[in-house]
Amino acid sequence: MTAVTQPSLKGRWRFGEILIQTGLFLCAIVSVLTTLGIIWVLLSESFIFFREISPLAFFTGLKWAPLFEPRHFGVLPLISGTLLITLGAAIIALPLGTFAAVFLSEYSDRKTRQILKPILEILAGIPTVVYGYFALTFVTPLLQKLYPEIEVFNAASAAIVVGIMILPTVASLSDDAMRAVPGSLRYAGYALGSTKYDVSFRVVLPSALSGIVASFVLALSRAIGETMAVTLAAGATPKLTLNFFESIQTMTAYIVQVSLGDTPAGTIEYQTIFAVGLTLFVITLLMNFLAQKLLARFRERYD
Amino acid sequence: MPGENHPILETKDLNIAYGTLEAVRHINLSIPEKSITAIIGPSGCGKSTLLRAFNRMNEFIASVRTTGMVRFREQNIYETSVDVVSLRRAIGMVFQKPNPFPKTIFKNVAWGPRINGYPGSLQQRVEEALKKAALWDEVSDKLDQDGLSLSGGQQQRLCIARTIAMEPEVILMDEPCSALDPISTRRIEDLLFELKQRYTIVIVTHNMQQAARVSDHTAFMYQGELIEYGPTELIFTRPKVKQTEDYVTGKFG
């Protein structure tokens, strides 16, 4: 006679499950801790800097010369350099990217789209250092042919390649936003005797606007943080200027210059990179936050 | 040929196929002016496909193939010389699910006149259209609000107003009440009686009571074919074909 054992319904410790859960949690916590660590370093090192240089002088000073006497710690020339590059990149990438997205989403047929979109996204995979020497060895000589007075290192060629670099972000995300607009709105437009142009630009584009603007903000946030191309092509001359033909310096390029140079660690000159880094971090953080808000609003409307 | 009015829309041996699926077969139908024609039939019988053939909205479906003829005022609308944009301005459409643009109430209604380059007062045109759609009293003080802020029934009347503002000759309606509550449905049905004084209305519905209440003529479709077409009264009281009788008495469908 065989004994029939009742299956136990009591809670059991499944060791494997706990192991996996703990392991996965540790993986997740690594990135969180790293981020917190970086923020901590930025804040504490910047604190050391701001004990000696007042934040007022830092954020309102018009001259940036921390490495030479007489020293000046006004970050505005670096911010203006960054914004100049961002502005130039925006002039190129925002309209082109939006029109590319309109084409992909509204005008191209399925086959064309299936070929074009991956190619566009490959642009995003090109190493930024390649864009940098593309700017130096191709764009700058081209600009010099058109405008001989342009400097070897100039904001224009850096802005152009950064624009090309962020173009796929704008095009791809705006395309996604426009394709998320319900087909019923397009049909409403067409049934009212609208042309394809009317439907694309007056129905779909405005309906996807918050998603498109979010793509702008994300792309520009990338342009602000972009380092390699601007370090190579835009020069190392902190300057409060709106002239694209001059050499400038961005926040990122400055950080590279000091990190790679022979500035002794621990000196006030060295501490500047943390203050500049913190400024950069806050700017891109705010922009990413804004983009998230815009995207959430867009999704709310159509989900 | 039913109806005392002139036919405004006519199909001759109309066939529509999606790939290998023949959704609509050999339809010969003539729709009289300034009246309401209902197309009824069970789900998948091809009634919406037939409706969309009248303003060439089937063209947005990739694999669709249309043969035969659809005539609007004696003109075959499938000829290559026909400008589909102008065609759709003359033959408007209201959809199953209300689909106002995410714009203000005013801009929704002004859309048609605006893209047509209407020279007169948009304000006046919008007001007229909203009045004809029996929505004016509810929205006259909030024309700058988002059309999506209205209730479902109001949104559908907004879509009707938007279509009316184009001054079309024909209004196609694809189950316009199926997403609405009974009170909103009733309001739209009342509205249809007003509208047929000026427009020709073709309405697809799977609600037989609705067809019986509102339409002058009824076409019954089954499996892609037009089974019977005639004055609504006759279709519902003395149908000639057995299938029609079974459907209108609720034996299947």
Side-chain angles (χ1 to χ4, degrees), chain A residues 184-196 198-199 202-203 206-207 301-302, chain B residues 57 60 85 88-89 91-93 95 99-103 111 115 146 148 162-163 166:
Chain A
S184 63
L185 288 185
R186 291 182 183 84
Y187 296 144
Y190 284 121
L192 287 163
S194 313
T195 57
K196 193 155 202 164
D198 285 325
V199 170
R202 297 193 191 175
V203 178
S207 303
R301 194 149 204 187
Y302 292 117
Chain B
M57 286 296 280
F60 296 106
V85 168
R88 293 190 187 126
R89 286 177 188 177
I91 304 181
M93 186 169 223
F95 295 79
N99 54 359
F101 298 128
K103 299 173 186 288
W111 176 269
I115 60 168
D146 197 318
L148 292 168
R162 183 175 64 181
T163 303
M166 278 199 312

Side-chain angles (χ1 to χ4, degrees), chain A:
Chain A
M1 199 178 96
T2 51
V4 180
T5 49
Q6 284 279 328
S8 167
L9 297 177
K10 273 196 290 182
R12 251 176 56 190
W13 285 95
R14 286 194 173 77
F15 184 69
E17 281 292 324
I18 294 167
L19 197 71
I20 284 172
Q21 193 176 345
T22 315
L24 293 176
F25 174 73
L26 287 176
C27 291
I29 206 77
V30 164
S31 67
V32 175
L33 288 179
T34 317
T35 310
L36 289 177
I38 291 171
I39 294 173
W40 171 248
V41 169
L42 273 181
L43 284 174
S44 59
E45 297 287 330
S46 300
F47 181 73
I48 297 171
F49 174 81
F50 284 123
R51 263 195 324 212
E52 284 196 38
I53 309 295
S54 85
L56 188 74
F58 181 71
F59 286 113
T60 60
L62 299 180
K63 200 160 186 311
W64 181 256
L67 307 178
F68 315 101
E69 298 291 346
R71 292 184 184 172
H72 294 280
F73 294 95
V75 79
L76 284 178
L78 290 186
I79 292 182
S80 88
T82 294
L83 291 184
L84 191 64
I85 297 291
T86 309
L87 176 73
I91 290 171
I92 290 165
L94 305 192
L96 271 180
T98 310
F99 291 137
V102 172
F103 176 77
L104 283 175
S105 150
E106 304 303 308
Y107 281 82
S108 70
D109 57 42
R110 228 168 63 97
K111 265 191 198 143
T112 320
R113 199 188 121 78
Q114 275 173 346
I115 297 167
L116 274 184
K117 198 162 179 183
I119 294 177
L120 200 66
E121 280 165 356
I122 285 172
L123 275 179
I126 297 175
T128 59
V129 67
V130 174
Y131 279 106
Y133 58 71
F134 173 68
L136 264 186
T137 60
F138 179 74
V139 180
T140 300
L142 196 71
L143 288 173
Q144 279 172 328
K145 268 183 203 145
L146 296 169
Y147 306 100
E149 70 274 26
I150 199 166
E151 295 174 20
V152 174
F153 295 104
N154 62 79
S157 83
I160 290 169
V161 293
V162 173
I164 296 170
M165 201 185 299
I166 64 173
L167 180 65
T169 308
V170 177
S172 182
L173 292 179
S174 295
D175 171 54
D176 292 343
M178 290 177 63
R179 284 169 58 82
V181 172
S184 63
L185 288 185
R186 291 182 183 84
Y187 296 144
Y190 284 121
L192 287 163
S194 313
T195 57
K196 193 155 202 164
Y197 167 82
D198 285 325
V199 170
S200 305
F201 285 89
R202 297 193 191 175
V203 178
V204 180
L205 194 77
S207 303
L209 198 63
S210 50
I212 292 172
V213 174
S215 86
F216 288 179
V217 177
L218 279 177
L220 293 184
S221 148
R222 229 195 117 196
I224 288 173
E226 164 48 34
T227 308
M228 245 8 257
V230 293
T231 306
L232 284 176
T237 327
K239 203 182 286 172
L240 207 54
T241 178
L242 274 174
N243 187 349
F244 278 101
F245 289 180
E246 291 181 51
S247 164
I248 51 119
Q249 189 168 41
T250 64
M251 293 190 271
T252 49
Y254 171 75
I255 295 173
V256 171
Q257 184 193 0
V258 172
S259 306
L260 295 181
D262 44 14
T263 313
T267 59
I268 192 70
E269 302 93 287
Y270 192 75
Q271 293 306 120
T272 55
I273 64 172
F274 296 104
V276 173
L278 183 67
T279 312
L280 191 61
F281 173 69
V282 170
I283 293 174
T284 48
L285 186 74
L286 287 178
M287 290 190 73
N288 287 355
F289 187 68
L290 179 67
Q292 291 291 326
K293 282 268 166 209
L294 287 166
L295 278 175
R297 210 176 76 182
F298 177 67
R299 291 201 185 102
E300 202 172 290
R301 194 149 204 187
Y302 292 117
D303 279 359

